[in-house]
Amino acid sequence: MNRDGAAKISCKGPKESLVRIGEPPVYWKSAEELQNGARPLGEFPGGLPGNSPSQQTEDTRRDFLAMMGFTFAAAGLAGCRAPVQNAVPLLTGSDEIVPGVSNFYATTCGGCPSACSLLVKQRDGRPIKIEGNDRSSLFGGTCATGQATVLSLYDGERLHGPLWKGQPVQWPVIDGQVRDALRAADKDKRPIVLLSGTITSPSTLHIIGEWKKRYPSFRHVVYDAVSLSAMRAANAASFGRAAIPHYLFDKARMIVGLEADFLGTWLSPVEFARQYASSRKPEGNFSTHVQFESGFSVTGSNADIRVPVAPSEMGAVALALLRRIGRYAGVTDVPDSTESFADSKKLDAIAEALWRHRGESLIVSGVQDLSVQMAVNALNSWLGNIGKTVDLARPSYQRAGDDAAMAELVEQMNRGEIHTLLLHGVNPAYDYAEPERFTQGLEKVALSISFSDRRDETSSRAHAICPDHHFLESWGDAEPVDSHFSLAQPLIAPLFNTRATAENLLAWLGIESGHHTFLRSFWRENIFPRQNERPDFESFWDRSLQDGVVVVPQKTAAPPVNAFHGDWKTAAHAIVNEPGRADDRYQLHFYESVALRDGRHANNPWLQELPDPISKVTWGNYAAVSPKLARKLGLSEGDVVSLKTEKGQMQIPVFLQPGQHEKSISVALGYGRKQVGKAGQDVGANAFPLRRQSTVNVTLEKTGRTVKLASTQRHFYMEGRPIILESTLKQVRMESAAAESGEALPSLWPEYPQGEHSWGLGIDLTACIGCSACVIACQAENNIPVVGKDQVQRIRAMHWIRVDRYYTGPEDCPASVHQPMMCQHCGHAPCETVCPVHATTTSSEGINQQVYNRCIGTRYCANNCPYKVRRFNWYNYTENAKFDFNMNSPLGRMVLNPDVVVRSRGVMEKCNLCVQRIQLAKNLALQGKRTLADGDIKTACQQACPTQAIVFGDLKDAHSRVAQLHRSQRQYKVLEELGTRPNVAYLKKIRNTTET
Amino acid sequence: MDLAGGGLKALLMGRRFLVVAVLALGLGGLLAGWELSRVGVHQGYAPAQPIAFPHKVHAGDNKIPCLYCHYAARTSRHAGIPPASVCMNCHTLLEKQTVEIEKLKEAVQEQRPIKWIKVHNLPDFVYFNHSQHVLSGVACQRCHGAVEQMDRVQQMSPLTMGWCLECHREHAHIATADFQRVMQDMTHRPVPVAGLDCTSCHY
Amino acid sequence: MPKNFLVATYSNAGRLLQAAHAMKEEKFRIYDVYAPYPIHHLDEAMEIHRSRLPWVTLLLGGAGLLIALLGQFYTVIWDWPMNVGGKPANATLAFIPITFELTVLIGGLATVAALFLRARLYPGKRERLIVEGVTNDTFALVLRKRDTSFDTARARQILEESGADLIEEKAAEL
Amino acid sequence: MSASAMTTIATGVQTLHPPTWVEGNPSLHRITDDIARPLEGRPGKGWWICFGIAFAALLNLGGMVTYLIASGIGVWGLNNSVGWAFDITNFVFWVGIGHAGTLISAILLLFRQKWRTSINRSAEAMTIFAVMCAGLFPAIHMGRPWDAFFIFPYPNQRGPLWPNFRSPLVWDVFAISTYLTISLVFWYLGMIPDLATMRDRLKDRIGRIDKIRKSVFRILSLGWNGSHRTWARYEIVSLVLAGLATPLVLSVHSIVSMDFATSVIPGWHTTIFPPYFVAGAIYSGFGMVLTLLIITRQTMHLKRYITVEHLDKMAKVTMLTGMLVSYGYFSEFFSAWYSGNFYERFHFINRATGPYAWCFYLMVLCNVITPHVLWWKKMRRSVAALFVISILVNIGMWFERFVIIVVSLHRAFLPSGWGMFYPTAIDIGVLVGAFGLFFTCFLLFIRFLPMIAIWEIKGVTERAVHEVIVQEDEAKVAHA
């Protein structure tokens, strides 16, 4: 067993020279050694002579030093209050890194364009854990993907330096080549194009603006693999503003979703999840949520009413609502359309509820179709939601993809018109609907430069790869929502010889001052003037850097938002006259998987092994079909089928998904990467190429092959057991709110004396949306290994917290519930009595403690655990070539938490309530000569939870939040009747069926 | 009537042989047991350091407080070996020159990290936090012995779990017979309580 | 030093038994009988009293019981009480199985050890056979000629009457 | 025993003939010869074939265990839902086998069952080898067998930190080791006079091998010289040991059953386990004794000593215990239904209808239906039939343990934790290997040690019994 995850790992502290290509990394055995072994002596006060590492080293290091310097004072101010809130830690004397002490820095997530604000835990110079930034007015908590991005930092497949025509070179070479090419292009006015994903960074956009000025032939094309361009177009047509509105779910009492997985992957899930949960409090306001969707999404699984609808019928749904709302609003000439998908009574009820809550209702649609979006706009504006729950004045910049522009660019490329193509954050060779068309075009481009961090499907075809920093290595900023700014700062000096894209763009403009300097000046000129809280820029900057976020008043010169003037009639008729489809054909529905999203995270083993919140399948995608259809076609789980559209076909195993619309087949995007790295290579099948044509007429054929899906939950029904208790809003309201439950069942034994504290968890099943962020957070915090597809198939996944998902009701349209299940820390734990060697006992503070080095691995405890939450190390998962994931490489092990033992083969492990965090908090309290306060300690799962469904605390303190939850009238304990006396209480799942 | 093999005869000497055998086995067992119990215990370990740094001179004769150099012990789980710069704080000013001090200055000149040898090694699976103990008023000497009298640092304590527990039991307010009563008058001021829970050290 | 014996050998137990009873009648003290299997009803003839070995079993079994009980009480309740599944420290019921096993183990081993000591059986002991085949198919009744008062003639007569196959006087160490 | 008692036996003898436990009324010398022959002659082809197979299996076991310990428990089919399967199934199975021996030698001794004499030696040997096999599994099923010593309460430097005396696993350790020790002692004690016999047979033979064998026998026989004074004590001690071993044999499987009975898992958590496990153990034990004795009496030409009468008796015991086991099965289902406990009911429905139902029905066929064949005397006395039945019994009892362990675990309380167990090649290899170990030991035993208690046989041969009594009467008459 190995206490220091750090041990035997090359550490690259922020102040330490970079590992340059060919230079052996500095190895150190312990934090002490790190301190004087791995740090150059040059940076101590009184600047000892010598020590001048190579040029670019100096730069980065100075940046970091600078940042440290700047934030001295600020740290002093904010430091005393709550250290965890510091953007920059208190610095004692010479060294900002005390070995063994973690610092937290605010930064901005680069996992997806949602640009959530984060706090990152930095230990011994390494970022090892990502947490949500509670200072943010938009976000709180994180998503699973965000949690996992820290592992991507230590991905060995990242390029170690720039490549020119496949050969490693030094930056000046690249710079020279590029400058010449640009000059040439500029001379004969040939187009220079930056093809990027959505860029939320105002400073980078500013640089791009500079490029436009400098090179008249320069053009910026934004391409999102999964884009919302139809909505932008619709908004342009309806309100004169081509933007994505900022939705306010927390202000809505009636929410209708059309194929929009806004709690899972759509637009800004963390933000929406937070809003959504806050609008659904049984004690306060409780919105009603209706979801029309073809596949079973996380969002759908939380809806009060979920209506399975074929993708082709989404328009009809919008129209059906439009017609009814129209009647209320006095518009009568909405054309009729089919309503086969739901009985009209239900629709009437929904429409009635919408109208009753006009101004505080919200309809969102993720359908990439202009007419549907027009209809939705009409609905929202007739219901008076514009400006209330749909904010166009302060739009969201989180998706800016423009499909038309992209299509045109590809044509131009194929006509050989494009001279220089810069590719940033895009991978069209993999995720463009017509990949080969794109790659053909790419060959005709004179100079193509990719900023990708690795050799992927696209970058490997480009002339040059200028690998970008991981976002944890670089400066940056973001404006996810208009006037909501956030900053990003480096948590570690770049591991490899990479360079920030912004840095490149600046360099190639001839601006040598460096990205950090530019960023500061940009903020000084553009953002600092828009606020009046801070008189001088320095303090403004420091504060912003600490908080990570700053909200400023809106630009006075914001473009106006006109009243709705969209031509909804044409849209309506377009929907009505939409081509019908043959009945023997099926419709494909594509969705982003909660873990991999559009596939950019495919090489992240944590995410590959994260069970899908609904199907619980890991390591690969599948074609979800309804059990009814499966019976009709004689399909069973794992049968590989081939899906054919007019232009393409793919082979993929089927999964029987209750609640799937009978005519639709859902396939997750983002899988089947060909070039990404050993973890993600050829996992699943790539569905992007099937999106090119209408996905309405798809044929399905058996191939006869069968594969085994790696699922972590194999039985989906509760068998009538009281595991998840449900209730409706009505009932809860009827029961007297005063009623408090929670007295334990009688026991045969005398009460065991309790210690100073009694730790416990409270989990609100109403708030839990099943997003699984907690699973990855726990994995990152507790050094939980990845075991791979084969082991998952053998039911040996190691996650300490799993989110159980059960269906209730009919299989064609079941309701579903999520239940985070971790060790229940029983007061009378069955596992403890049977352990022959006292390897698991109850601590004086109520923790069911597992002592790895005492365990001899009889597995008796796991057998006797009614909750089956104990995990056994069937093999050595560390430094074992059979499990070649992050724990098998020194680089990958840098992510390990040095405060948690890395378990060896043959021992049992399980949730220990993040006892390392408890001990740390106690120690800090001791240092601060204060007592522990409620909320001082947050478990990893609790911190990550965007809906605050998980609450940790001291049950002995009657006023603590957790104690209140344990007294709540909704509280119950799973399998309490066994007399296990869990310290984890669940709050009943509440559905709001009152409205309809 | 004779039986095979002279060696066998010796073996079959009879009762006396039996007694001897039993005693031998007993003694052997005891010895083996003792040896096994010392496996992994390095009490008295005193490796030669790359620079023969005399704690006697610094902490003893010149009375430099432990925490001046090992400042991290206040805030971190690691006491920390001071960076060479801390040494230089004084040694840039001091005239005194010795071979050892030369080594130090050389190292600083050449940016060559000094590779000290760790003397006190706890097993990987136990979590020990210096600050917790320092702040609870445990004297450094309690575990490290009279370092200020050592020329070369030596591991004084066995660093076994039993040894830790001796002290923890002394200071434990947990799991003793009158536990209930103790809990009652235990104020919520953070009384440094030496834990006897497994998770005090193992997680 | 060798002693003098009067040895009668038989080829079956019946006659030997008869002879033994006759000897008892005549107040002869039978030194010992050697046989390939235990002959019942010989005890009274040889005035062998019931062995006291079972007391060893009782005493050491009791000792085992105490060791087990005290050991468990000491470790679980006194030395380091732990909260195991919220059960009270005093888990006497849980001690029963081990207590029982140790009682049996120590009691049983002690009894056998006692037998070996009492009967002077130990590895490497040279067997001393009064006549060939007493471990196979021969039965031997042995009288010790302690002094002149031993009426050899009478003894021989009785033995002959009992139909011994062979009667001989021999000096031997037994 | 008093003379009056004697006469009753005498009359008994004269009026009705007791079953003859040795056929053909051989002389004492003949008995010695018959039983000693296999040890002194060269082993037959049959023995070599059996030994070859068994030894191959043993080697396979060695390989499997090495691989297991080198790479981790993951090489078995176990998973987080089913933490025990073949390993503990085999453990319980072998412990069960181990019960017949002590039962025959101890309990039947207390009940003065003379028919035990010709089978008890080999039955005890079987016990010891079976318990050895059993002991193997708890050791190798651990994730970290090299730390197994944590289980023993010895003063240590960890505090000291003691084992958890509440855990049935610790009880197991004590029960199994005690059982093994006492059985060994009992077995050895019973063998001492016969070892002496073997020693003395070798007296006049010359030749290196024989010399060595003789001196080995000499060491083992502790200088036994047939003294009746020793015999007297010897018999007392045998009785005492029998008295100790009887409750011991019952306790061992009761404790093993508590591994399950003390847990919370439906299908494990039941109070009927101790008696039901003991019955099952004896049932399977007699099954195995039958198998072995039928083989040996055929191959080693000992039909005269292991008679059809013996087989008949054993068949009766088998049938009786078989029916006890059946009762256990029935009452489990009954109490599940009667308790109204949801999980309990679900478990037993699942046992009979779930994915592992076939194991359940195989078990019922072998353990509930098969024994009733033995109502027919013909069957009880037909060697072939008994052989088949004994094999079926063993299969049935193995599956009983598999059903109890795996079926209970694979669908416990939370459906989210449900999962199937599929054995791997290693699982099966270890299972086979254990049989290899067992049969290798047994074959070596019948080759090198007297597999029938010579002195006890002599004690019960008709000639001995009869003549003693006749002479006794004459003696009395003479007196009167």
Coordinates of all heavy atoms in Angstrom, one line a residue, chain D residues 125-176:
Chain D
A125 N -9.1 -41.8 8.8 CA -8.1 -41.3 7.9 C -8.8 -40.3 6.9 O -8.4 -39.2 6.7 CB -7.5 -42.4 7.1
M126 N -10.0 -40.7 6.4 CA -10.7 -39.9 5.5 C -11.0 -38.6 6.1 O -10.8 -37.5 5.6 CB -12.0 -40.6 5.1 CG -12.8 -39.8 4.2 SD -14.5 -40.5 4.1 CE -15.1 -39.8 5.6
T127 N -11.5 -38.6 7.4 CA -11.7 -37.4 8.1 C -10.6 -36.4 8.1 O -10.7 -35.3 7.7 CB -12.1 -37.7 9.6 OG1 -13.3 -38.4 9.6 CG2 -12.2 -36.4 10.4
I128 N -9.4 -37.0 8.4 CA -8.2 -36.1 8.5 C -7.9 -35.5 7.2 O -7.7 -34.3 7.0 CB -7.0 -36.9 9.0 CG1 -7.3 -37.2 10.5 CG2 -5.7 -36.2 8.8 CD1 -6.7 -38.4 11.0
F129 N -7.9 -36.3 6.1 CA -7.6 -35.8 4.8 C -8.7 -34.8 4.3 O -8.3 -33.7 3.8 CB -7.5 -36.9 3.8 CG -6.5 -37.9 4.2 CD1 -6.7 -39.3 4.0 CD2 -5.3 -37.6 4.9 CE1 -5.8 -40.2 4.4 CE2 -4.4 -38.5 5.3 CZ -4.6 -39.9 5.0
A130 N -9.9 -35.0 4.7 CA -11.0 -34.1 4.3 C -10.8 -32.8 5.0 O -10.9 -31.7 4.4 CB -12.3 -34.7 4.6
V131 N -10.5 -32.8 6.3 CA -10.3 -31.6 7.0 C -9.1 -30.8 6.5 O -9.1 -29.6 6.4 CB -10.2 -31.9 8.5 CG1 -9.9 -30.6 9.3 CG2 -11.5 -32.5 9.0
M132 N -8.1 -31.6 6.0 CA -7.0 -30.9 5.4 C -7.4 -30.1 4.2 O -7.1 -28.9 4.0 CB -5.9 -31.9 5.0 CG -5.0 -32.3 6.2 SD -4.1 -33.8 5.8 CE -3.4 -33.4 4.2
C133 N -8.2 -30.8 3.3 CA -8.7 -30.1 2.1 C -9.5 -28.9 2.6 O -9.4 -27.8 2.0 CB -9.6 -31.0 1.3 SG -8.7 -32.4 0.6
A134 N -10.4 -29.1 3.6 CA -11.2 -28.0 4.0 C -10.4 -26.8 4.4 O -10.6 -25.7 4.1 CB -12.1 -28.5 5.2
G135 N -9.4 -27.1 5.3 CA -8.5 -26.0 5.8 C -7.9 -25.2 4.7 O -7.6 -24.1 4.8
L136 N -7.6 -25.9 3.5 CA -7.0 -25.2 2.4 C -7.7 -24.0 2.0 O -7.2 -22.9 1.7 CB -6.8 -26.2 1.3 CG -6.3 -25.6 -0.1 CD1 -4.8 -25.4 0.1 CD2 -6.6 -26.6 -1.2
F137 N -9.1 -24.1 2.0 CA -9.9 -23.0 1.3 C -9.9 -21.7 2.1 O -9.7 -20.7 1.5 CB -11.2 -23.6 1.0 CG -11.2 -24.5 -0.2 CD1 -11.1 -25.9 0.0 CD2 -11.1 -24.0 -1.5 CE1 -11.0 -26.7 -1.1 CE2 -11.0 -24.9 -2.6 CZ -10.9 -26.2 -2.4
P138 N -10.2 -21.8 3.4 CA -10.2 -20.5 4.1 C -8.8 -19.8 3.9 O -8.8 -18.6 3.8 CB -10.4 -20.8 5.5 CG -11.1 -22.2 5.5 CD -10.6 -22.9 4.3
A139 N -7.8 -20.6 3.8 CA -6.5 -20.0 3.6 C -6.4 -19.3 2.2 O -6.0 -18.1 2.2 CB -5.4 -21.0 3.8
I140 N -6.7 -20.0 1.2 CA -6.5 -19.4 -0.1 C -7.6 -18.4 -0.6 O -7.4 -17.7 -1.5 CB -6.3 -20.5 -1.2 CG1 -7.6 -21.3 -1.4 CG2 -5.1 -21.3 -0.9 CD1 -7.5 -22.2 -2.6
H141 N -8.7 -18.4 0.1 CA -9.8 -17.5 -0.4 C -9.5 -16.1 0.1 O -10.2 -15.2 -0.3 CB -11.2 -18.0 0.1 CG -11.7 -17.3 1.4 ND1 -11.0 -17.5 2.6 CD2 -12.7 -16.5 1.6 CE1 -11.7 -16.8 3.5 NE2 -12.7 -16.2 2.9
M142 N -8.5 -15.9 1.0 CA -8.3 -14.6 1.5 C -7.6 -13.7 0.4 O -6.8 -14.2 -0.4 CB -7.3 -14.6 2.6 CG -7.9 -15.2 3.9 SD -6.6 -15.1 5.2 CE -7.1 -16.3 6.2
G143 N -7.9 -12.4 0.4 CA -7.2 -11.6 -0.5 C -5.7 -11.5 -0.2 O -4.9 -11.3 -1.1
R144 N -5.4 -11.6 1.0 CA -4.0 -11.5 1.4 C -3.6 -12.6 2.3 O -3.4 -12.4 3.5 CB -3.7 -10.1 2.1 CG -4.1 -8.9 1.2 CD -3.4 -7.6 1.7 NE -3.8 -7.3 3.1 CZ -3.1 -6.4 3.7 NH1 -2.0 -5.8 3.2 NH2 -3.5 -6.0 5.0
P145 N -3.4 -13.8 1.8 CA -3.2 -15.0 2.6 C -1.9 -14.8 3.5 O -1.8 -15.3 4.6 CB -3.0 -16.1 1.6 CG -3.0 -15.5 0.3 CD -3.6 -14.2 0.4
W146 N -1.0 -14.0 2.9 CA 0.3 -13.8 3.7 C 0.1 -13.1 5.0 O 0.9 -13.1 5.9 CB 1.3 -13.1 2.8 CG 0.8 -11.9 2.2 CD1 0.7 -10.6 2.7 CD2 0.2 -11.8 0.9 NE1 0.1 -9.7 1.8 CE2 -0.2 -10.4 0.7 CE3 -0.1 -12.7 -0.1 CZ2 -0.9 -10.0 -0.5 CZ3 -0.7 -12.3 -1.3 CH2 -1.1 -11.0 -1.5
D147 N -1.1 -12.5 5.2 CA -1.4 -11.8 6.4 C -2.4 -12.6 7.3 O -2.9 -12.1 8.3 CB -2.0 -10.4 6.2 CG -1.0 -9.4 5.8 OD1 0.2 -9.7 6.1 OD2 -1.3 -8.4 5.1
A148 N -2.5 -13.9 6.9 CA -3.5 -14.7 7.6 C -3.2 -14.8 9.1 O -4.1 -14.9 9.9 CB -3.5 -16.2 7.1
F149 N -2.0 -14.6 9.5 CA -1.7 -14.7 11.0 C -2.4 -13.6 11.8 O -2.4 -13.7 13.0 CB -0.1 -14.6 11.2 CG 0.5 -13.3 10.7 CD1 0.6 -12.3 11.6 CD2 1.0 -13.2 9.5 CE1 1.1 -11.1 11.3 CE2 1.5 -12.0 9.1 CZ 1.6 -10.9 10.0
F150 N -2.9 -12.6 11.2 CA -3.7 -11.6 11.9 C -4.8 -12.3 12.7 O -5.3 -11.8 13.7 CB -4.3 -10.6 11.0 CG -3.3 -9.6 10.4 CD1 -3.7 -8.7 9.4 CD2 -2.1 -9.5 10.9 CE1 -2.8 -7.7 8.9 CE2 -1.2 -8.6 10.5 CZ -1.5 -7.7 9.5
I151 N -5.3 -13.4 12.2 CA -6.4 -14.1 12.9 C -6.1 -14.6 14.2 O -7.0 -14.7 15.1 CB -7.0 -15.2 11.9 CG1 -7.8 -14.6 10.8 CG2 -7.9 -16.1 12.7 CD1 -8.6 -15.6 10.0
F152 N -4.8 -15.0 14.5 CA -4.5 -15.6 15.7 C -4.2 -14.6 16.8 O -3.6 -13.6 16.6 CB -3.3 -16.5 15.5 CG -3.5 -17.6 14.5 CD1 -3.0 -17.5 13.2 CD2 -4.3 -18.7 14.8 CE1 -3.2 -18.5 12.3 CE2 -4.6 -19.6 13.8 CZ -4.0 -19.6 12.6
P153 N -4.8 -14.9 18.0 CA -4.5 -14.0 19.1 C -3.1 -14.2 19.7 O -2.9 -15.1 20.5 CB -5.6 -14.4 20.1 CG -5.9 -15.8 19.8 CD -5.6 -16.1 18.4
Y154 N -2.2 -13.4 19.3 CA -0.8 -13.5 19.8 C -0.4 -12.1 20.2 O -0.8 -11.1 19.6 CB 0.1 -14.1 18.8 CG 0.3 -13.2 17.6 CD1 1.4 -12.4 17.5 CD2 -0.6 -13.1 16.6 CE1 1.6 -11.5 16.4 CE2 -0.4 -12.3 15.5 CZ 0.7 -11.5 15.4 OH 0.9 -10.7 14.3
P155 N 0.4 -11.9 21.3 CA 0.8 -10.5 21.6 C 1.6 -9.9 20.5 O 2.5 -10.6 19.9 CB 1.7 -10.8 22.9 CG 2.0 -12.2 22.8 CD 0.9 -12.9 22.2
N156 N 1.2 -8.7 20.1 CA 1.9 -8.1 19.0 C 2.2 -6.6 19.2 O 1.8 -6.1 20.3 CB 1.0 -8.2 17.7 CG -0.4 -7.6 18.0 OD1 -0.5 -6.4 18.3 ND2 -1.4 -8.4 18.0
Q157 N 2.8 -6.0 18.3 CA 3.3 -4.6 18.5 C 2.3 -3.6 18.0 O 2.6 -2.4 17.8 CB 4.6 -4.4 17.8 CG 5.7 -5.3 18.3 CD 7.1 -4.6 18.2 OE1 7.3 -3.9 17.2 NE2 7.9 -4.9 19.1
R158 N 1.1 -4.0 17.7 CA 0.1 -3.1 17.2 C -0.8 -2.6 18.3 O -1.9 -2.2 18.0 CB -0.7 -3.8 16.1 CG 0.1 -4.2 14.9 CD -0.7 -4.9 13.9 NE 0.1 -5.8 13.1 CZ 0.3 -7.1 13.5 NH1 -0.3 -7.6 14.6 NH2 1.1 -7.9 12.8
G159 N -0.4 -2.7 19.5 CA -1.3 -2.1 20.5 C -1.4 -2.8 21.8 O -1.4 -2.1 22.8
P160 N -1.5 -4.1 22.0 CA -1.7 -5.1 20.9 C -3.1 -5.1 20.4 O -4.0 -4.8 21.1 CB -1.3 -6.4 21.6 CG -1.7 -6.1 23.0 CD -1.6 -4.7 23.3
L161 N -3.2 -5.5 19.1 CA -4.5 -5.6 18.5 C -4.9 -7.0 18.3 O -4.1 -7.8 17.9 CB -4.3 -4.9 17.1 CG -5.6 -4.8 16.2 CD1 -6.7 -4.0 17.0 CD2 -5.2 -4.0 15.0
W162 N -6.1 -7.3 18.8 CA -6.5 -8.7 18.9 C -7.5 -9.0 17.8 O -8.1 -8.1 17.2 CB -7.2 -9.0 20.2 CG -6.3 -8.7 21.4 CD1 -6.4 -7.6 22.2 CD2 -5.2 -9.4 21.9 NE1 -5.4 -7.6 23.1 CE2 -4.6 -8.7 23.0 CE3 -4.6 -10.6 21.5 CZ2 -3.5 -9.2 23.7 CZ3 -3.5 -11.1 22.2 CH2 -3.0 -10.4 23.3
P163 N -7.7 -10.3 17.5 CA -8.7 -10.7 16.5 C -10.1 -10.4 17.1 O -10.3 -10.2 18.3 CB -8.5 -12.2 16.2 CG -7.8 -12.6 17.4 CD -6.9 -11.5 17.9
N164 N -11.1 -10.5 16.2 CA -12.5 -10.2 16.6 C -13.2 -11.5 17.0 O -13.6 -12.2 16.2 CB -13.2 -9.5 15.5 CG -14.7 -9.3 15.8 OD1 -15.1 -9.4 17.0 ND2 -15.5 -8.9 14.8
F165 N -13.2 -11.7 18.3 CA -13.8 -13.0 18.8 C -15.3 -13.1 18.6 O -15.9 -14.1 18.9 CB -13.5 -13.2 20.3 CG -12.0 -13.5 20.5 CD1 -11.2 -12.6 21.2 CD2 -11.4 -14.6 20.0 CE1 -9.9 -12.9 21.4 CE2 -10.1 -14.9 20.2 CZ -9.3 -14.0 20.9
R166 N -15.9 -12.0 18.0 CA -17.3 -12.1 17.7 C -17.5 -12.8 16.3 O -18.6 -13.1 16.0 CB -17.9 -10.7 17.7 CG -18.0 -10.1 19.1 CD -18.8 -8.8 18.9 NE -18.8 -8.0 20.2 CZ -17.9 -7.3 20.6 NH1 -16.7 -7.2 20.0 NH2 -18.0 -6.6 21.8
S167 N -16.5 -12.8 15.6 CA -16.6 -13.2 14.2 C -16.6 -14.8 14.0 O -15.7 -15.4 14.5 CB -15.5 -12.7 13.3 OG -15.5 -13.4 12.1
P168 N -17.7 -15.3 13.4 CA -17.7 -16.8 13.2 C -16.5 -17.3 12.5 O -16.1 -18.4 12.6 CB -19.0 -17.0 12.4 CG -19.8 -15.8 12.7 CD -18.9 -14.6 12.9
L169 N -15.8 -16.4 11.7 CA -14.7 -16.9 11.0 C -13.6 -17.3 12.0 O -12.8 -18.3 11.8 CB -14.1 -15.8 10.0 CG -14.8 -15.8 8.7 CD1 -14.0 -14.9 7.7 CD2 -14.8 -17.2 8.0
V170 N -13.5 -16.5 13.1 CA -12.5 -16.8 14.1 C -12.9 -18.1 14.8 O -12.0 -19.0 15.0 CB -12.3 -15.7 15.1 CG1 -11.3 -16.0 16.2 CG2 -11.9 -14.4 14.4
W171 N -14.2 -18.3 15.1 CA -14.6 -19.5 15.7 C -14.2 -20.7 14.7 O -13.7 -21.7 15.2 CB -16.2 -19.5 15.8 CG -16.7 -18.4 16.6 CD1 -16.0 -17.5 17.3 CD2 -18.1 -18.0 16.7 NE1 -16.9 -16.6 17.9 CE2 -18.2 -16.9 17.5 CE3 -19.3 -18.5 16.1 CZ2 -19.3 -16.2 17.8 CZ3 -20.5 -17.8 16.4 CH2 -20.5 -16.7 17.2
D172 N -14.4 -20.5 13.5 CA -14.1 -21.5 12.5 C -12.6 -22.0 12.7 O -12.3 -23.1 12.8 CB -14.2 -21.0 11.1 CG -15.6 -21.2 10.6 OD1 -16.4 -22.0 11.2 OD2 -16.0 -20.6 9.5
V173 N -11.7 -21.0 12.7 CA -10.3 -21.3 12.9 C -10.1 -22.2 14.0 O -9.4 -23.2 13.9 CB -9.5 -20.0 13.0 CG1 -8.1 -20.3 13.3 CG2 -9.6 -19.1 11.8
F174 N -10.7 -21.9 15.2 CA -10.5 -22.7 16.4 C -11.1 -24.0 16.2 O -10.5 -25.1 16.5 CB -11.0 -22.0 17.6 CG -10.1 -20.9 18.2 CD1 -10.1 -19.6 17.6 CD2 -9.2 -21.2 19.2 CE1 -9.3 -18.7 18.1 CE2 -8.4 -20.2 19.7 CZ -8.4 -19.0 19.1
A175 N -12.4 -24.0 15.7 CA -13.1 -25.3 15.6 C -12.3 -26.3 14.6 O -12.0 -27.4 15.0 CB -14.5 -25.0 15.0
I176 N -12.0 -25.8 13.5 CA -11.3 -26.7 12.5 C -10.0 -27.2 13.0 O -9.7 -28.4 13.0 CB -11.1 -25.9 11.1 CG1 -12.5 -25.4 10.6 CG2 -10.5 -26.8 10.2 CD1 -13.4 -26.5 10.2

